[in-house]
Amino acid sequence: MDTAPELISFENTANAFEYKSDKELRRAATLFTSMGYSPLVWLGTRLTPWLVRSGLPVKGVIRKSLFAQFVGGETLEETAMVAAKLGEYHVQVILDYGVEGGDDGEEGFDHAAEEFNRVIDYAATQPNIPFMSVKVTGIARFSLLEKLDSGMKSYTGSLMRRYERVLEDLTAMEREEWDRVGRRMQRIAREAAEQKVGVLIDAEETWIQDPVDVLTIRMMDEFNRGRTVVYNTIQLYRADRLEFLKDSYEAAEQRDFMLGAKLVRGAYMEKERRRAISKGYPSPIQQDKEATDRDYNAALEFCIGRLDRIALIVASHNEYSNLYAVQLLNKNGLPLGHPHIHFSQLYGMSDNITFNLAKAGCAVSKYLPFGPIRDVVPYLMRRAQENSSVSGQTGRELGLIRKELKRRKG
């Protein structure tokens, strides 16, 4: 179904919240109102992890508030109920096992790889779960990634050439450890290829991203033949990522594989700027929001003009960028449901974008984390902080919810 972009309205709250009951909308309104108070968010994000770790009875409160809004469930089975409900409105799901990476030792990393494969196997049994996400920090030691990245930055040349140089600088034990990381990632990608589930490799901090990019490109070179299994996440709030996207495309052309590209703005801005100041190097982050928006939309234009070689995921909460992607599809004479373009927003946010795109015939997913409350608390704290700090985000969500509640009252 093709729809002209002017017929897609992100103001249509009837479409946006059709899947939510009045009670669920009122609960969401209360939550977003709370997140509008920065001091409350500041206090809550510091207290909550401690309260959960201490064993105090706070999980019930978290489950009924932040968890219910932003997480699919504690188990895959609970998450399946949310996915089924979204499916009724032609919205698909990107499954995210919401456990943050940590240096859990080789056993822990092997277990995480097994868990990722379990998620892939489960997704393959569901009608509307085409993707799942993987954090490389879940299967690799952070300090090893840091050493690889630091070494790569000390050399010049292409990404792969710098990578080959730095391998020579590792100890024999470190090379063996890195080989195990590669084998874990290969097992995950192979399982995904066999089960026909896409794997989205999450972006990381700039000081560990280079080896993650290498690992991802190697997996694309091996598994993205004829169809797209592995996707890299490209953060356009980094000043160098538009060029990196173009370099990745050149590699895909030369090696004859499909480039999987998930475009996001970024998730570590304040952390990146603080580290750059503390260590005395230029910030890798764009100078201002306008530069990020410019590069993001330029990346959309680059990818949509090359969908024969690029499988694109527009992972954005920016209303203009989503409409711009639709306009580019129309301009290029491509259907909104083109098999190489997919839209995505986080579960619990920007329903006005997700459900109106779905109604128009776009392939669109909710990014749906799941896991025990204790394990997903870091994710929940990020959602609270982002909604509090992103200018206008909380107000926009709250305004749309109130508009829909008013509409329903007639």
Side-chain angles (χ1 to χ4, degrees):
M1 173 182 173
D2 286 14
T3 305
E6 57 267 25
L7 298 183
I8 298 178
S9 169
F10 295 149
E11 299 297 325
N12 188 326
T13 59
N15 287 343
F17 300 115
E18 186 181 357
Y19 80 112
K20 281 192 178 291
S21 67
D22 290 357
K23 182 181 178 182
E24 288 169 329
L25 274 184
R26 285 194 294 269
R27 184 182 64 197
T30 301
L31 183 64
F32 282 112
T33 299
S34 301
M35 286 192 289
Y37 295 104
S38 296
L40 184 63
V41 173
W42 184 89
L43 183 64
T45 53
R46 280 151 183 80
L47 270 181
T48 303
W50 178 81
L51 290 169
V52 171
R53 284 195 305 271
S54 69
L56 290 170
V58 294
K59 289 185 179 178
V61 176
I62 297 170
R63 173 179 275 280
K64 290 177 182 176
S65 54
L66 282 167
F67 191 90
Q69 182 69 24
F70 298 116
V71 180
E74 292 201 73
T75 65
L76 279 170
E77 291 69 31
E78 283 181 16
T79 306
M81 291 188 284
V82 176
K85 188 175 184 182
L86 292 171
E88 292 173 19
Y89 301 90
H90 307 291
V91 173
Q92 296 177 303
V93 161
I94 297 169
L95 268 186
D96 173 41
Y97 182 49
V99 178
E100 299 290 318
D103 288 351
D104 297 327
E106 294 296 296
E107 269 189 41
F109 298 140
D110 284 339
H111 176 70
E114 289 166 13
E115 285 297 296
F116 286 134
N117 277 357
R118 187 172 71 91
V119 173
I120 289 167
D121 292 345
Y122 186 81
T125 69
Q126 301 300 302
N128 69 319
I129 306 181
F131 303 107
M132 57 83 66
S133 70
V134 167
K135 282 184 79 69
V136 172
T137 47
I139 61 169
R141 184 166 56 90
F142 193 97
S143 52
L144 177 62
L145 293 169
E146 206 167 12
K147 179 172 182 177
L148 283 160
D149 189 281
S150 175
M152 288 174 69
K153 283 183 171 62
S154 70
Y155 294 115
T156 57
S158 69
L159 182 78
M160 288 302 178
R161 186 154 297 180
R162 291 186 289 119
Y163 168 69
E164 286 163 5
R165 290 284 303 276
V166 85
L167 284 180
E168 298 169 10
D169 301 334
L170 296 180
T171 67
M173 284 182 66
E174 285 170 336
R175 278 197 296 275
E176 286 175 17
E177 184 183 357
W178 181 240
D179 284 344
R180 287 195 295 273
V181 173
R183 288 196 295 273
R184 287 183 198 114
M185 191 69 249
Q186 193 175 44
R187 284 200 301 273
I188 292 166
R190 184 177 293 113
E191 190 72 16
E194 289 173 0
Q195 299 285 15
K196 296 182 171 54
V197 173
V199 170
L200 316 183
I201 308 299
D202 282 356
E204 303 283 357
E205 294 92 338
T206 54
W207 57 96
I208 63 168
Q209 184 63 45
D210 276 2
V212 172
D213 286 334
V214 167
L215 197 57
T216 307
I217 289 168
R218 284 171 55 199
M219 293 303 107
M220 286 195 280
D221 189 21
E222 183 171 352
F223 294 100
N224 288 11
R225 302 285 175 172
R227 60 191 176 88
T228 316
V229 176
V230 179
Y231 293 73
N232 203 1
T233 300
I234 298 171
Q235 301 187 105
L236 275 308
Y237 76 161
R238 282 183 58 171
D240 63 345
R241 290 293 92 172
L242 182 59
E243 198 58 41
F244 171 76
L245 171 66
K246 293 175 180 178
D247 289 345
S248 298
Y249 174 76
E250 277 188 28
E253 276 204 309
Q254 289 168 7
R255 300 282 302 172
D256 194 26
F257 63 82
M258 284 294 296
L259 174 64
K262 184 181 107 179
L263 303 185
V264 302
R265 276 172 166 77
Y268 307 106
M269 185 168 66
E270 296 308 322
K271 187 194 286 189
E272 291 282 0
R273 284 179 173 155
R274 280 197 305 269
R275 188 177 192 271
I277 291 168
S278 71
K279 294 193 174 288
Y281 61 83
S283 171
I285 304 304
Q286 303 272 17
Q287 287 190 341
D288 50 39
K289 184 178 183 299
E290 288 70 30
T292 300
D293 291 343
R294 181 196 64 232
D295 275 14
Y296 191 94
N297 294 329
L300 286 178
E301 193 168 349
F302 181 85
C303 291
I304 290 173
R306 295 162 178 82
L307 290 183
D308 58 326
R309 174 70 63 186
I310 300 176
L312 170 65
I313 297 178
V314 184
S316 174
H317 291 247
N318 183 286
E319 294 178 10
Y320 177 81
S321 290
N322 281 284
L323 282 179
Y324 186 53
V326 170
Q327 289 167 356
L328 287 168
L329 287 169
N330 278 268
K331 180 182 172 184
N332 285 278
L334 300 169
L336 298 191
H338 190 287
H340 287 172
I341 186 165
H342 199 94
F343 296 80
S344 179
Q345 291 77 43
L346 296 170
Y347 181 65
M349 293 173 62
S350 299
D351 286 346
N352 63 314
I353 297 175
T354 307
F355 288 87
N356 282 301
L357 285 174
K359 199 86 168 180
C362 297
V364 59
S365 286
K366 281 296 193 187
Y367 187 90
L368 193 64
F370 75 94
I373 290 177
R374 181 189 181 99
D375 292 339
V376 298
V377 160
Y379 174 84
L380 292 173
M381 295 307 97
R382 281 210 308 278
R383 294 288 76 78
Q385 286 168 334
E386 284 171 14
N387 276 283
S388 176
S389 64
V390 177
S391 177
Q393 181 67 45
T394 298
R396 177 63 168 155
E397 298 283 354
L398 190 54
L400 290 163
I401 291 166
R402 286 174 172 165
K403 178 182 173 183
E404 175 60 12
L405 286 169
K406 185 177 178 182
R407 187 194 70 82
R408 290 184 185 187
K409 284 181 180 175

